[in-house]
Amino acid sequence: MAENGFRSATIAVLVDNEAGVLARVIGLFSGRGYNIESLTVAPVDESRLHSRITIVTSGTEMVIEQIKAQLGRLVPVGRVSDLTREGPHIAREMALIKVVGEGEKRHESLRIAEAFRARVIDATTGSFVFELTGATDKLDAFLDLMRPLGLAEVSRTGIAAIARGPRTI
Amino acid sequence: MSADQTQSGAEVILRALKEQGVEVIFGYPGGAVLPIYDAIFQQNAIRHILVRHEQAAVHAAEGYARSTGRVGCVLVTSGPGATNAVTGLVDALMDSIPVVCLTGQVPTHLIGNDAFQEADTTGITRPATKHNYLVRRSEDLARVIHEAFYVAQNGRPGPVVVDLPKDILIAPAPYVGPSGNGHRTYKPRTEPDRAAIAEALRLLKGAKRPILYTGGGIINAGASELLREFVHLTGFPCTSTLMGLGAFPASDPQFLGMLGMHGTYEANLTMHGCDVMLALGARFDDRVTGRLSAFSPGSKKIHADIDPSSINKNVAVDVAIVGDAGRVLAALIAAWKADETPPEREALAAWWRQIDLWRARDSLRFVQSPARGAVIKPQHAVKRLYEMTRGIGREVYISTEVGQHQMWAAQHYRFEKPNRWMTSGGLGTMGYGLPAAMGVQIAHPDALVIDIAGEASILMNIQEMGTLAQYRLPVKIFILNNEYMGMVRQWQELLHGGRYSESYSAALPDFVKLAESFHAVGLRARSVDELDGVIAQMLATDKPVIADIMVDKAENCFPMIPSGAAHNEMILGVGHESEAAGITDAGLVLV
Ligand SMILES: Cc1cc2nc3c(=O)[nH]c(=O)nc-3n(C[C@H](O)[C@H](O)[C@H](O)COP(=O)(O)OP(=O)(O)OC[C@H]3O[C@@H](n4cnc5c(N)ncnc54)[C@H](O)[C@@H]3O)c2cc1C
Ligand SMILES: Cc1ncc(C[n+]2csc(CCOP(=O)(O)OP(=O)(O)O)c2C)c(N)n1
């Protein structure tokens, strides 16, 4: 990739689980004009003292380095890891997708769902709710196919990501 | 935990402050903090200075902090007390000044109810502080206060707010002392990486046209001595930002003066033409770099800073060193001495010959008519102030407001020691200088403290004259009165076709009478023959003084790098040929 070109970065941040920490991270991005393409957060240890925030952002190499440095200087931030840079990683998100329709379209949506290994987690005679987990582009592709078949509502979790192999952040 | 439960939250706070070494708090009372004021009333260890506006409390704490190297402490009430403090907090954030600001808050059960004088203080101050806290449980109180002091002064210093609901102040709270390790996770790196030091040394030893670009971080680090040692060891030229003035003695022949928009010709051209730049505790501010694409185009850049986010932010550098400036300098000195490679002596001598040619342009020159009745040039006023306060056997501290006078002070008042220069650089807050001077005078009761002011700026916190009177603080306010918001007028002259929109200081008060009404002494100099007499009288007066120095209304501050221009496109002043490249459209949008 060109040094000055844009790139996407998936950044994992371990934070002290204290009041306002998410607002700090989001305020940093809005205040300094960085992109947020996805942001997820949840406590990740037994004692619930730490949360992991996964952010997908994009920018030039210099901006991404700056984002990491800015995150790192927030007082409750423990670790910042650029999963995109630090070796192979896996990123997944989950979506709940409501498709409303009858007849042939309804059957077609079910066939496609099977091909994508989406699960039916709610059904009425006029609707389905599918649950689909996968990489972002897989979810996007599925949604594109559902659109003409009565796609009514989507809820996506945003991305959770982790490094491949034994490496931890 | 040997917790002693007999004290109220307010008492615990005072005990924690005392243990943190706080001697002075700058504050203003109100309903939400009355329990703290009650606790203050019942003790003597900590002195409270009652300001006249909460913004001034923060600036006073900044002046106190910058002149002592300690943490400044502020106490304000909820709602409007906290919102009034915000400008001061952002000022301290931008200039890396350690301040702990305690704010009152409505009782925990009322938070979120739009209660009387409730404001979302932690929400409002989140981007205005290095860190902030809302204390919701009595058992967290003492720990949070100690942590606030740790965070304010470790790593890159900055302001920390502790928001204190009233019920927490009243309820009994356990006391704990400071923990050994300051903070669970916040542990900024201070020791530089050895490989980075080695790489920096290799570049420095091979440098033919080197420069040291130093900034406020040297003052934060208390590393002036080490800086001097390193500069003398290497024989390199040294320049400083506005915030770093005093870290290296102005009288030293290796000092090139301030760089940047209003810096000297020699400092900026040395930056432009260098082959190796060592930036120490400076943050490549736009006021310093000028047009980024033309900033020091041919140099290898080494940047040492305690805050990794300062490095590669505006300017991409070749060697990044994260660490405390003092530790970095010590490591560089040791490495320089241990390394056998001879430095480029001949090249360096040639570099100095070139620098001396630039110096000979005398870019700070101005012309003062000595004739009786001649109008005072503002530069001359600062120069005379400097000359008449030098070697008087007292420590001298200078603060400024914001504008042309600030730049003239930076150019013509020469600082030999660190922590003597208090100015609002990053935020550029008019109204900073008087309260900052107040804080300095509290910390240094016997020193001579002067606020070099503009007539517009001084009105922004003029109410603090009352504080000066109450505490008998003999601060001297030296107004360069040009009857204009001079810096604005200058930009309008140079960039907006001389359309002086709203920049005239109309309906000014009579500053002599104003001083007198605040129990101070008012003096005025109208022409150059009156100047020395007024300065002498001001210095001989053991009370606060306002010296209203009527100066040339049309004087511009030069040299100047226009916004969006490069270092080698400076405009020099009168008597210099203009080599201005003109202002680009891109430059016009810059401030
Ligand atoms: C009207 C006006 C005109 C101005 N014109 C100029 C001008 O001509 N020239 C000029 O220089 N400025 C000028 N300024 C000021 C300018 O806006 C900036 O405030 C200033 O340049 C920043 O100084 P600095 O780089 O030293 O950084 P500071 O703001 O002092 O920041 C200090 C840096 O050091 C780091 N640091 C802190 N502690 C340590 C430590 N212990 N060890 C190592 N690093 C540390 C920090 O992380 C930070 O990066 C002007 C301001 C105004 C209001
Ligand atoms: C609080 C605030 N408001 C506005 C500005 C913009 N500003 C910068 S300099 C200046 C004029 C200052 O005038 P004065 O204090 O008379 O100083 P002079 O430039 O004439 O020396 C103004 C309005 C500012 N820096 N701070």
Side-chain angles (χ1 to χ4, degrees):
Chain A
M1 186 171 318
E3 252 314 278
N4 279 327
F6 259 56
R7 75 159 168 112
S8 163
T10 302
I11 299 173
V13 189
L14 278 186
V15 300
D16 291 350
N17 203 2
E18 63 182 41
V21 62
L22 188 58
R24 256 177 244 290
V25 170
I26 292 171
L28 169 67
F29 275 73
S30 63
R32 294 185 183 264
Y34 307 141
N35 298 322
I36 301 184
E37 279 153 27
S38 163
L39 186 146
T40 60
V41 58
V44 287
D45 60 349
E46 249 172 285
S47 49
R48 303 179 72 86
L49 286 176
H50 301 285
S51 285
R52 179 168 171 135
I53 301 179
T54 308
I55 305 166
V56 181
T57 182
S58 62
T60 61
E61 195 56 46
M62 206 160 152
V63 166
I64 287 172
E65 288 307 312
Q66 184 60 206
I67 290 173
K68 292 187 311 197
Q70 291 291 351
L71 285 166
R73 77 203 274 256
L74 296 178
V75 169
V77 166
R79 300 180 82 94
V80 178
S81 171
D82 182 348
L83 294 172
T84 309
R85 254 306 128 85
E86 288 163 18
H89 71 282
I90 312 151
R92 289 289 178 270
E93 63 176 313
M94 199 258 274
L96 301 179
I97 300 140
K98 182 170 293 181
V99 177
V100 177
E102 282 163 4
E104 185 45 35
K105 284 187 175 175
R106 180 172 157 80
H107 292 128
E108 179 65 7
S109 71
L110 198 58
R111 275 193 293 277
I112 294 173
E114 274 162 20
F116 274 79
R117 293 171 209 261
R119 295 203 304 144
V120 175
I121 56 172
D122 180 69
T124 66
T125 51
S127 70
F128 286 123
V129 174
F130 298 114
E131 177 197 314
L132 179 61
T133 302
T136 297
D137 51 0
K138 174 176 166 186
L139 267 58
D140 290 344
F142 183 73
L143 289 169
D144 282 346
L145 292 172
M146 287 298 130
R147 212 154 273 130
L149 303 177
L151 177 67
E153 197 175 336
V154 186
S155 173
R156 292 171 76 147
T157 57
I159 283 168
I162 204 159
R164 285 188 184 275
R167 245 172 350 106
T168 59
I169 75 166
Chain B
M1 183 165 60
S2 64
D4 154 11
Q5 282 276 9
T6 59
Q7 306 169 78
S8 70
E11 286 164 337
V12 162
I13 290 167
L14 281 179
R15 188 166 159 194
L17 294 182
K18 212 173 122 195
E19 193 154 355
Q20 288 295 336
V22 174
E23 290 168 0
V24 184
I25 304 183
F26 301 92
Y28 206 94
V33 284
L34 284 181
I36 304 185
Y37 275 87
D38 206 31
I40 287 175
F41 191 82
Q42 298 178 47
Q43 55 87 54
N44 286 317
I46 297 179
R47 186 173 175 210
H48 180 272
I49 303 294
L50 177 66
V51 296
R52 301 309 192 254
H53 186 293
E54 289 87 350
Q55 181 193 351
V58 186
H59 293 324
E62 288 183 87
Y64 181 93
R66 190 64 159 186
S67 69
T68 59
R70 300 166 62 181
V71 179
C73 192
V74 177
L75 171 59
V76 299
T77 193
S78 67
T83 55
N84 267 353
V86 168
T87 299
L89 294 170
V90 179
D91 192 89
L93 182 70
M94 295 289 274
D95 285 345
S96 302
I97 312 287
V99 168
V100 169
C101 177
L102 310 179
T103 56
Q105 184 53 280
V106 300
T108 42
H109 68 272
L110 287 180
I111 289 178
N113 279 23
D114 299 324
F116 177 64
Q117 294 197 328
E118 178 181 1
D120 175 7
T121 299
T122 45
I124 290 169
T125 63
R126 203 170 283 129
T129 53
K130 179 175 174 187
H131 195 50
N132 63 17
Y133 300 86
L134 169 62
V135 180
R136 286 177 168 277
R137 303 186 315 172
S138 298
E139 56 268 39
D140 295 335
L141 182 59
R143 174 186 59 81
V144 166
I145 302 280
H146 294 307
E147 220 175 88
F149 278 82
Y150 170 84
V151 170
Q153 61 194 317
N154 280 279
R156 180 179 185 163
V160 177
V161 159
V162 183
D163 201 24
L164 299 159
K166 192 169 184 181
D167 52 331
I168 299 286
L169 301 178
I170 295 167
Y175 183 78
V176 292
S179 80
N181 71 346
H183 190 276
R184 216 148 37 95
T185 50
Y186 182 67
K187 308 234 180 296
R189 167 168 201 162
T190 55
E191 199 58 52
D193 175 56
R194 284 176 175 281
I197 292 286
E199 180 58 11
L201 186 81
R202 196 183 58 76
L203 286 176
L204 291 167
K205 273 281 167 88
K208 295 188 162 73
R209 301 186 311 280
I211 176 103
L212 261 75
Y213 150 44
T214 64
I218 302 282
I219 314 244
N220 289 131
S224 304
E225 296 285 332
L226 287 164
L227 175 63
R228 202 173 323 170
E229 186 183 343
F230 185 68
V231 173
H232 291 160
L233 182 68
T234 56
F236 290 176
C238 177
T239 179
S240 167
T241 66
L242 182 75
M243 296 309 293
L245 292 177
F248 190 77
S251 62
D252 192 294
Q254 282 171 258
F255 189 58
L256 306 187
M258 182 173 82
L259 82 164
M261 180 174 272
H262 293 291
T264 65
Y265 190 65
E266 56 270 32
N268 286 325
L269 286 197
T270 305
M271 287 290 280
H272 192 78
C274 68
D275 69 343
V276 176
M277 173 191 302
L278 171 58
L280 280 168
R283 56 186 175 83
F284 292 88
D285 185 79
D286 52 72
R287 218 107 298 218
V288 160
T289 58
R291 185 167 75 244
L292 278 174
S293 58
F295 173 69
S296 193
S299 60
K300 291 275 183 206
K301 299 174 185 72
I302 307 162
H303 188 186
D305 202 290
I306 203 161
D307 179 356
S309 81
S310 281
I311 302 177
N312 288 320
K313 179 165 63 180
N314 304 326
V315 171
V317 298
D318 302 280
V319 182
I321 307 177
V322 176
D324 172 69
R327 309 271 184 103
V328 170
L329 278 165
L332 284 174
I333 290 168
W336 183 281
K337 287 180 175 164
D339 184 72
E340 317 259 275
T341 326
E344 296 282 344
R345 285 211 182 75
E346 270 170 39
L348 191 57
W351 184 225
W352 272 112
R353 281 195 294 280
Q354 170 63 66
I355 292 170
D356 286 337
L357 288 178
W358 289 328
R359 243 182 197 162
R361 297 289 299 264
D362 193 12
S363 60
L364 299 183
R365 188 172 66 221
F366 59 91
V367 184
Q368 171 67 61
S369 158
R372 228 190 136 62
V375 60
I376 303 170
K377 289 287 178 185
Q379 303 93 320
H380 179 69
V382 176
K383 182 160 172 270
R384 288 306 296 148
L385 182 69
Y386 167 61
E387 288 163 352
M388 293 177 71
T389 52
R390 188 174 41 168
I392 54 168
R394 285 172 80 186
E395 291 289 347
V396 185
Y397 293 81
I398 302 289
S399 73
T400 74
E401 307 291 335
V402 170
Q404 291 179 317
H405 64 275
Q406 177 189 26
M407 293 299 111
W408 284 317
Q411 293 173 339
H412 297 279
Y413 204 101
R414 301 173 66 79
F415 296 91
E416 300 297 317
K417 296 186 200 164
N419 307 91
R420 303 297 190 278
W421 164 244
M422 276 24 77
T423 199
S424 170
L427 196 62
T429 312
M430 294 169 70
Y432 166 89
L434 171 53
M438 231 157 68
V440 175
Q441 190 82 74
I442 293 282
H444 309 275
D446 299 326
L448 174 62
V449 184
I450 305 170
D451 173 24
I452 299 180
E455 82 293 334
S457 295
I458 194 65
L459 291 178
M460 285 221 178
N461 270 320
I462 195 69
Q463 76 287 344
E464 298 308 317
M465 292 295 295
T467 314
L468 295 186
Q470 180 179 348
Y471 297 96
R472 300 177 192 283
L473 303 174
V475 167
K476 313 293 184 256
I477 301 167
F478 191 72
I479 303 179
L480 302 181
N481 184 348
N482 53 10
E483 290 181 22
Y484 275 98
M485 298 171 194
M487 190 56 96
V488 174
R489 193 204 55 73
Q490 172 167 349
W491 281 51
Q492 289 173 332
E493 179 184 329
L494 300 177
L495 303 168
H496 296 277
R499 291 178 294 279
Y500 299 124
S501 178
E502 304 293 325
S503 55
Y504 182 65
S505 293
L508 282 173
D510 177 333
F511 284 108
V512 172
K513 287 192 186 144
L514 184 145
E516 285 162 3
S517 74
F518 273 111
H519 321 288
V521 173
L523 306 170
R524 179 170 293 127
R526 288 190 179 76
S527 57
V528 69
D529 38 294
E530 293 174 0
L531 179 65
D532 283 12
V534 164
I535 295 176
Q537 207 182 331
M538 174 179 94
L539 298 180
T541 306
D542 193 22
K543 291 173 77 175
V545 175
I546 296 183
D548 184 16
I549 312 295
M550 317 278 287
V551 298
D552 192 336
K553 299 183 180 84
E555 189 70 14
N556 285 334
C557 183
F558 292 119
M560 177 177 183
I561 302 176
S563 297
H567 277 174
N568 59 346
E569 298 168 346
M570 298 193 85
I571 308 178
L572 298 180
V574 193
H576 290 282
E577 253 140 65
S578 169
E579 35 229 272
I583 288 134
T584 60
D585 283 352
L588 208 59
V589 305
L590 301 172
V591 287

